[in-house]
Amino acid sequence: MGLIGETVDSGKSRQLRQALTQAVNLCIMFISLLIFWKALMCFTGTESPVSVVISGSMEPALRRGDMLFLHMSKEPIRVGEIVVFNVDGEEILIVHRVIEVHEREGTGEVDILTKGDNNSRDDTPLYAPGQWLQQHHIIGRVVGFFPYICCLGQHYHDRESNC
């Protein structure tokens, strides 16, 4: 009876060690991903180095499901650049093209007007009344994209997807 009891205890001990090893490996993987993400944020200069197109407003240049790679530098925003921005009071990020940039005299600050390539109007209705975007609204400039990479996930959530 002693041999059987030792074998059962040994099996329980082995299972506990395996569970602890898996938990430690999971923690190491999570911490590694977090370090990678933080390093990517530092390298790209943006809090969101990767974004996904969720609407058709930028077609045909960008389509729903495209994964965007962002970078933010100190260089001024230029007309024609595709930027990802956030509007005050809204959580969703918007991907549109810059169509006008106006520099304020004496301050060096800029007012930025954007528009989706597939939209008939500019984005002024999205902004606060009487205002355009400021530099602090810009999350990043689109420097590259991977087409349709996130389309499967969107199709799962949106059965009417064109992906």
Side-chain angles (χ1 to χ4, degrees), residues 11-162:
K12 287 181 181 178
S13 175
R14 190 175 323 122
Q15 287 176 342
L16 180 62
R17 267 187 271 127
Q18 286 176 342
L20 286 174
T21 301
Q22 287 177 348
V24 168
N25 286 337
L26 187 63
C27 287
I28 290 171
M29 186 173 65
F30 177 75
I31 290 169
S32 297
L33 285 172
L34 185 61
I35 290 170
F36 174 75
W37 186 257
K38 291 293 185 179
L40 197 57
M41 288 172 60
C42 290
F43 176 72
T44 61
T46 179
E47 64 191 51
S48 182
V50 177
S51 188
V52 177
V53 178
I54 60 172
S55 77
S57 67
M58 281 301 294
E59 289 181 359
L62 300 170
R63 299 189 181 279
R64 290 183 70 199
D66 289 354
M67 179 185 289
L68 307 177
F69 303 104
L70 308 180
H71 188 269
M72 196 63 198
S73 65
K74 300 292 183 195
E75 294 181 25
I77 301 290
R78 293 186 180 91
V79 171
E81 286 186 291
I82 298 175
V83 295
V84 176
F85 63 91
N86 184 328
V87 178
D88 292 335
E90 298 291 328
E91 291 184 23
I92 194 164
L93 298 179
I94 301 170
V95 181
H96 282 172
R97 190 177 305 275
V98 174
I99 60 171
E100 287 185 46
V101 177
H102 296 280
E103 187 173 342
R104 295 183 195 171
E105 288 186 34
T107 66
E109 293 180 15
V110 293
D111 293 319
I112 302 163
L113 180 62
T114 57
K115 176 185 172 293
D117 290 357
N118 199 25
N119 292 348
S120 58
R121 294 196 51 199
D122 61 39
D123 293 339
T124 50
L126 300 176
Y127 312 151
Q131 293 184 344
W132 285 6
L133 293 178
Q134 309 296 312
Q135 186 71 36
H136 70 274
H137 292 110
I138 306 295
I139 303 297
R141 298 173 160 113
V142 176
V143 294
F145 72 100
F146 202 110
Y148 299 115
I149 193 72
C150 299
C151 208
L152 292 174
Q154 277 189 342
H155 186 69
Y156 176 76
H157 291 292
D158 181 3
R159 299 283 192 232
E160 297 174 7
S161 173
N162 292 324

